[in-house]
Amino acid sequence: MTSQVSSTAEQADGAVVGEQRTAAGAKDVRRLDRVIIRFAGDSGDGMQLTGDRFTSETASFGNDLSTLPNFPAEIRAPAGTLPGVSSFQLHFADHDILTPGDAPNVLVAMNPAALKANLGDLPRGAEIIVNTDEFTKRAMQKVGYDSSPLEDGSLDGYSLHPVPLTTLTVEALKEFDLTRKEAERSKNMFALGLLSWMYHRPTEGTERFLRSKFAKKPEIAAANIAAYRAGWNFGETTEDFAVSYEVAPAAKAFPPGVYRNISGNLALSYGLIAASRQADLPLYLGSYPITPASDILHELSRHKNFGVRTFQAEDEIAGIGAALGAAFGGSLAVTTTSGPGVALKSETIGLAVSLELPLLIVDIQRGGPSTGLPTKTEQADLLQAMYGRNGEAPVPVVAPRTPADCFDAALEAARIALAYRTPVFLLSDGYLANGSEPWRVPDLQELPDLTVRFAQGPNHALDDGTEVFWPYKRDPRTLARPWAIPGTPGLEHRIGGIEKQDGTGNISYDPANHDFMVRTRQAKIDGVDVPDVEVDDPDGARTLVLGWGSTYGPITAAVRRIRKEGGRIAQAHLRHLNPFPRNLGTVLERYDKVVVPEMNLGQLATLIRAKYLVDARSHNQVNGMPFKAEQLAAALKEAIDD
């Protein structure tokens, strides 16, 4: 879904911008500057699809947005239970926003479990739309309700809208040749239609989507569209919803251009394809499915027309082994995984360090250790990426900061891998992977030139004048060794994991040579050219908040809140975690206090303390969810005042 954005549209200011009546007897229309909606229900209720469709229409309308899908690890958790609740939160606005929002203004709860699991996140006065058909005695007892929360007064502090979604959906579809169970499955489309009416969302895109999705089952497509329209009409005619809302497009938040809604994994996939085209190399993905990285395998498999080859291996080790073989053969090689898979791939990553071949290791981090929390987010693989191999095996580490930034981070990781002949870690996480936001489609002229020059002939003259090919003769600027395509005449050379002799690449057990090669490989990584870290410090603050990866949105939102209240705080965010930007030490020295928020127990803070001898303060969270801006702002204000 793309939309053209101009920089001239008006921007509303304030939570409630205005209220108007469209015609005599018509319902009030209230203008807002932002809204946070959460859809919640069983895993089988289609909440992710509902949220995704609402998001797509919101993106096409031109709002800025940020999303937070949240679903169980189980393929189908027990129906009606708290562990089985799936939710999708969307924050959209008429101005620049950075997070999915701390607390929903609207909760759509499809059953008692969804209500109970999410009620604690709602502020007083929030709107709650509940499917009353599911509030049976048995369903309520299953989640610990002794009496109906719809009747016992426990929801008096909220704006409650009891709607028999299931009954209304079945009634709307009675003309179709469907069983009751089949008709009930469309209740999420009824809810989507109702919310689309409430917030004046476009409808044409969703109807096209449903026709396409169920093209082979036109009766099902027609039924879903009918349920969707019935939900819209219900909102228009019922007396329970006296007000609808408008949130104007966020044109001033974006430079002019063509935008589309994009998730982190999709942006990363597109970035890898763009990198292969800019390098004029075939893209090869060797991968084993693992949550939350599998979407990249799924997406890249659709793009054979761009020279992409995907291989779903029998395990993680085979996946990276195939990818490294493709790198040896001259491809832009990628392997995708999450934390548990990185552990299995570690020996082959060490082999890639020794072979000095370009290889992208994409780690979409999740909660751990072991199997951990497959569908929850975490930033706890940083030290594993830095040091999780035997011996001295340094690897550059790059981390995107937003879903859309995953595109640029993939290009940057490819640049480093190809220029310096090294494996590179790309550290995303579940929050970025599944979340989405508007992304400006770049012009081709904006993309970096990643062209690679392969070795074509001999590169060294022996003492007797004989010209030979030395596979470990290095570029004096980058310390990268030549990349020779197998089968090129005259470039035969030995390859393997045993230590190489400098220059020749022959097997060597010489202690002095090993010391030299270890130091040279480290010097190559230390010498990687990365941009200086930029500091946002408009007021001469004495406290710096330093972040990396997906904490960018919550940190920036918290910093904005502090500054709006008159507080002074500086902000810097790291994309390059190995090597660090060369000016980072100088930046850190300028501040009395450095606070490092992380979704781990202090891994970046540990690295900062060790390298720069700075008393960096950790602010940590490992609950499987991203930081909330308000909580983070409170912690930062406490650090400033301490």
Side-chain angles (χ1 to χ4, degrees), residues 150-407:
L150 310 183
E151 301 171 354
D152 63 8
S154 60
L155 301 179
D156 287 350
Y158 305 94
S159 178
L160 180 64
H161 302 280
V163 180
L165 290 173
T166 305
T167 299
L168 291 171
T169 302
V170 172
E171 179 66 20
L173 302 184
K174 63 182 180 182
E175 65 184 74
F176 294 89
D177 186 22
L178 300 174
T179 66
R180 179 179 177 85
K181 186 174 183 180
E182 289 172 332
E184 288 179 358
R185 290 174 183 164
S186 296
K187 63 181 180 290
N188 64 323
M189 288 297 104
F190 189 101
L192 177 60
L194 172 57
L195 269 292
S196 297
W197 171 83
M198 284 182 65
Y199 293 97
H200 295 239
R201 298 298 90 184
T203 61
E204 295 81 3
T206 293
E207 293 193 8
R208 283 196 304 269
F209 168 82
L210 292 171
R211 291 189 186 98
S212 174
K213 180 177 177 64
F214 299 107
K216 296 181 179 179
K217 299 179 179 179
E219 181 83 356
I220 299 298
N224 277 282
I225 292 171
Y228 179 58
R229 292 175 178 175
W232 177 285
N233 293 333
F234 177 78
E236 183 72 28
T237 57
T238 183
E239 296 181 1
D240 192 34
F241 293 92
V243 178
S244 64
Y245 304 93
E246 287 184 349
V247 181
K252 286 189 176 181
F254 308 114
V258 176
Y259 286 78
R260 62 157 294 161
N261 181 51
I262 202 165
S263 68
N265 274 351
L266 183 58
L268 200 153
S269 300
Y270 287 174
L272 293 173
I273 296 171
S276 74
R277 294 299 83 208
Q278 293 303 104
D280 195 23
L281 297 175
L283 177 64
Y284 184 93
L285 173 66
S287 182
Y288 180 76
I290 183 172
T291 301
S294 299
D295 287 342
I296 302 172
L297 171 61
H298 301 160
E299 181 61 32
L300 290 180
S301 68
R302 300 186 177 103
H303 296 287
K304 297 180 179 66
N305 56 313
F306 287 112
V308 179
R309 291 188 178 183
T310 54
F311 170 54
Q312 181 175 318
E314 66 268 27
D315 56 37
E316 297 280 7
I317 299 171
I320 190 173
L324 185 57
F328 178 59
S331 294
L332 176 59
V334 184
T335 189
T336 53
T337 190
S338 190
V342 173
L344 293 168
K345 295 178 188 290
S346 61
E347 182 181 6
T348 307
I349 297 171
L351 175 60
V353 171
S354 178
L355 299 183
E356 300 189 46
L357 286 170
L359 174 67
L360 300 184
I361 305 108
V362 178
D363 177 6
I364 313 297
Q365 301 167 93
R366 72 190 203 188
S370 187
T371 306
L373 306 170
T375 60
K376 309 302 179 184
T377 194
E378 207 163 275
Q379 288 183 300
D381 294 351
L382 176 56
L383 295 183
Q384 182 183 32
M386 288 284 292
Y387 303 119
R389 294 163 295 283
N390 63 295
E392 297 288 343
V395 173
V397 180
V398 176
R401 63 186 188 178
T402 69
D405 188 49
C406 289
F407 178 87

